Amino acid sequence: MKGSLLYEGKAKRVYHTTDNSDRLILAYKDDATAFNGKKKDEFTGKGRLNNLITSKVFEYLHQQNITTHFIEALNDKEQLVNQTTIIPLEVVVRNKAAGSITRRLGIQEKTSFIPPIIELFYKKDELDDPLINDIHAYYLTDITEQELTFIKQQALAINEHLKNLFRSAGLELIDFKLEFGRLPDGTIVLSDEISPDTCRLWDIETGKKMDKDVFREDIGSLIDTYEMILQRLEENVCAK
Amino acid sequence: MKGSLLYEGKAKRVYHTTDNSDRLILAYKDDATAFNGKKKDEFTGKGRLNNLITSKVFEYLHQQNITTHFIEALNDKEQLVNQTTIIPLEVVVRNKAAGSITRRLGIQEKTSFIPPIIELFYKKDELDDPLINDIHAYYLTDITEQELTFIKQQALAINEHLKNLFRSAGLELIDFKLEFGRLPDGTIVLSDEISPDTCRLWDIETGKKMDKDVFREDIGSLIDTYEMILQRLEENVCAK
């Protein structure tokens, strides 16, 4: 079923499938990177955890009528998805200030954003994924104004769903990053992954950081943290 | 008539007037700074040139029904303006790629932007005036969505007027920076200055840079360049 390697990213390998040219297999790697690849390490078991967490989250979003590229988890480290052409934008939604925005705009950590702040970053490693505005996005990508409005509406709707999902697992959703892609017919759907690599999640009781910041800031065990996220999602989220 | 010093910026001193508390005097300095103050020098005569050029430009904009803070030039180095509370945004309009955007987004110099790109930067020296998006502007300043729409419309209208003005002086308007302020009644008007310090102007015939880039890049005499801009504006622009 798994065909040739199409692309290798920092966190995943992407393979063709032999039986359906519109479907791909994502194989999650054990690598962790931060600060645009400047900090790197490998954690046995991380690929499995991000695959299973992302699968859980995308299944939940399907129940909430959000369309995504996700089809199903195939095994511990791999998932089947519909092929999309990724739009080179990182769409970040922030409910509270943390990470880069605190340094960039001098906003104190934990400041609440109601309504949430949406930011666009241009996915381009050589440029360190710079922040851009809507007009830049029209020049740098093929999206139209109408499509960008749709993407932002989706991002806000996904934010509400994810806040509920993680709250039921005792976690506060501080911010997260989404990527969108186009199906062969041009339709834009949520793609990539949603995991503690792409979300900031703080324990509601203790305020403890339970996401990739434990790796960025060397403040705990990445595997223990991600394992706990998966467990909490499995215990607290109603299965389909 | 000139009262006490209210504020000293990098390029201008701002004074109260003794006879009308709603009016201020801007005194243009001979200092030149670039790269957020990292490069500095002083050019005798620069204050006069920027005062006279800005006065000429604002008078032209008044003829085109753009409302500004400007009242009149008082002498070679000073102008009378209506007091405004500056909104801490730099509004940049780009007709062609030059300067920071080429490095930031990897866009080749001289690439045309039709329609123009509008960028917002948060005026904050300690943060190096970071690029922001509209939602950031709502959190960082007191402007409303409706007011930001007005500011962008004004910026685009001003762009068309300035392109015409500078074209008549043999200059292509590549990009420029505007600042807006609020009059005591809350109305938003164009403020600050419009000069070769705040515009990129390329000679239409030769393509030569005729603006602060001659200082930034050490490629010519700042005073000779600014003097030529003033002369060309005086020769080619119909007086009121």
Side-chain angles (χ1 to χ4, degrees):
Chain A
M1 199 174 186
K2 190 155 91 178
S4 57
L5 182 72
L6 173 63
Y7 170 78
E8 175 157 358
K10 280 183 282 214
K12 296 183 279 295
R13 288 186 191 86
V14 184
Y15 294 91
H16 289 288
T17 52
T18 51
D19 46 347
N20 186 331
S21 67
D22 287 347
R23 295 184 166 189
L24 298 174
I25 290 170
L26 302 187
Y28 282 71
K29 291 159 57 169
D30 283 341
D31 299 344
T33 62
F35 310 114
N36 203 22
K38 286 177 202 79
K39 180 169 182 170
K40 274 186 214 179
D41 210 336
E42 203 184 314
F43 297 92
T44 306
K46 175 174 178 288
R48 170 183 161 268
L49 289 163
N50 276 355
N51 178 43
L52 299 182
I53 292 168
T54 292
S55 298
K56 208 107 204 110
V57 171
F58 276 65
E59 281 161 14
Y60 176 82
L61 290 175
H62 287 182
Q63 290 167 32
Q64 314 301 320
N65 298 314
I66 299 290
T67 317
T68 82
H69 74 154
F70 179 79
I71 301 169
E72 60 178 344
L74 296 173
N75 54 52
D76 262 12
K77 290 195 136 191
E78 295 176 328
Q79 57 186 231
L80 187 67
V81 301
N82 284 306
Q83 176 153 29
T84 60
T85 309
I86 286 288
I87 297 163
L89 291 179
E90 299 195 342
V91 181
V92 170
V93 179
R94 300 183 181 275
N95 295 305
K96 281 194 176 172
S100 66
I101 198 171
T102 62
R103 297 180 290 276
R104 185 167 17 99
L105 302 184
I107 298 175
Q108 212 181 342
E109 189 176 70
K110 298 183 186 170
T111 303
S112 287
F113 301 125
I114 304 166
I117 287 183
I118 302 182
E119 295 178 334
L120 303 178
F121 296 86
Y122 179 39
K123 259 176 81 82
K124 195 88 172 177
D125 280 343
E126 313 90 274
L127 299 172
D128 266 359
D129 300 339
L131 177 80
I132 59 171
N133 67 28
D134 295 6
I135 309 177
H136 296 137
Y138 306 138
Y139 278 105
L140 296 169
T141 75
D142 66 352
I143 57 163
T144 65
E145 208 171 324
Q146 202 181 358
E147 286 173 338
L148 186 53
T149 302
F150 169 77
I151 284 175
K152 289 184 186 174
Q153 283 165 348
Q154 285 286 100
L156 290 177
I158 291 165
N159 182 40
E160 292 309 311
H161 296 313
L162 293 183
K163 282 201 294 186
N164 290 337
L165 173 68
F166 287 118
R167 193 183 301 116
S168 75
L171 297 163
E172 183 180 5
L173 178 63
I174 303 305
D175 59 36
F176 59 99
K177 184 261 297 183
L178 301 176
E179 296 184 22
F180 291 84
R182 274 180 205 285
L183 295 171
D185 71 358
T187 317
I188 292 178
V189 295
L190 181 65
S191 299
D192 198 47
E193 67 176 284
I194 296 182
S195 72
D197 269 13
T198 65
C199 301
R200 279 198 175 82
L201 300 164
W202 294 352
D203 188 281
I204 288 175
E205 296 280 309
T206 64
K208 226 179 109 182
K209 295 179 179 183
M210 297 190 62
D211 53 56
K212 199 163 78 173
D213 276 347
V214 302
F215 166 66
R216 285 191 194 93
E217 301 173 10
D218 292 312
I219 51 174
S221 157
L222 180 144
I223 292 296
D224 291 355
T225 304
Y226 285 28
E227 189 72 65
M228 193 172 298
I229 303 278
L230 179 61
Q231 269 177 34
R232 290 199 196 178
L233 286 176
E234 283 176 340
E235 284 163 14
N236 292 284
V237 182
C238 311
K240 241 199 274 203
Chain B
M1 199 172 184
K2 191 155 91 179
S4 58
L5 182 72
L6 173 62
Y7 170 78
E8 175 158 357
K10 280 183 281 213
K12 295 183 280 294
R13 289 186 192 85
V14 184
Y15 294 91
H16 289 287
T17 52
T18 51
D19 45 346
N20 186 332
S21 67
D22 287 346
R23 294 182 168 193
L24 298 174
I25 290 171
L26 302 188
Y28 282 71
K29 293 160 54 171
D30 282 342
D31 299 344
T33 62
F35 310 115
N36 202 21
K38 285 176 201 84
K39 180 169 182 170
K40 275 185 211 177
D41 209 335
E42 204 185 314
F43 297 91
T44 306
K46 174 173 179 287
R48 170 185 161 268
L49 289 163
N50 276 354
N51 177 44
L52 299 182
I53 292 169
T54 292
S55 299
K56 208 108 206 106
V57 172
F58 276 65
E59 280 161 14
Y60 177 82
L61 290 176
H62 287 182
Q63 290 167 29
Q64 314 301 320
N65 298 314
I66 299 289
T67 318
T68 83
H69 73 153
F70 179 79
I71 300 168
E72 60 178 344
L74 296 173
N75 54 52
D76 263 13
K77 291 195 137 190
E78 295 176 328
Q79 56 187 233
L80 188 67
V81 302
N82 284 307
Q83 175 153 30
T84 59
T85 308
I86 286 287
I87 297 163
L89 291 179
E90 299 196 342
V91 181
V92 170
V93 179
R94 299 181 182 276
N95 296 304
K96 281 195 176 173
S100 66
I101 198 171
T102 62
R103 297 181 290 276
R104 185 166 19 96
L105 301 185
I107 297 175
Q108 213 180 340
E109 189 177 70
K110 297 182 187 171
T111 303
S112 287
F113 300 127
I114 303 166
I117 287 183
I118 302 183
E119 295 178 333
L120 303 178
F121 295 85
Y122 179 40
K123 262 176 78 84
K124 194 88 173 176
D125 281 343
E126 313 90 274
L127 299 172
D128 265 359
D129 300 339
L131 177 80
I132 58 171
N133 67 28
D134 295 6
I135 309 177
H136 295 137
Y138 305 139
Y139 278 105
L140 295 169
T141 75
D142 66 352
I143 57 163
T144 64
E145 207 170 324
Q146 204 180 355
E147 287 172 338
L148 186 53
T149 301
F150 170 76
I151 284 176
K152 289 185 187 176
Q153 283 166 348
Q154 284 287 100
L156 290 177
I158 292 164
N159 183 40
E160 292 310 312
H161 297 312
L162 293 183
K163 281 200 295 186
N164 291 337
L165 172 68
F166 288 118
R167 193 183 301 116
S168 74
L171 296 164
E172 183 180 2
L173 178 63
I174 303 304
D175 59 36
F176 59 99
K177 184 262 294 183
L178 302 176
E179 295 184 21
F180 291 84
R182 274 179 205 286
L183 295 171
D185 71 358
T187 316
I188 292 177
V189 296
L190 182 64
S191 301
D192 198 49
E193 67 177 283
I194 296 182
S195 72
D197 269 13
T198 66
C199 300
R200 279 198 176 83
L201 300 164
W202 294 353
D203 188 279
I204 288 174
E205 297 280 309
T206 65
K208 227 180 109 182
K209 296 180 179 182
M210 297 190 60
D211 52 56
K212 198 163 77 172
D213 277 348
V214 302
F215 167 66
R216 285 192 195 95
E217 302 173 9
D218 291 311
I219 50 174
S221 157
L222 181 143
I223 292 297
D224 290 354
T225 303
Y226 286 28
E227 189 71 66
M228 191 172 298
I229 303 280
L230 178 61
Q231 268 177 33
R232 290 201 195 176
L233 286 176
E234 282 174 344
E235 284 163 16
N236 293 285
V237 181
C238 310
K240 240 199 272 201

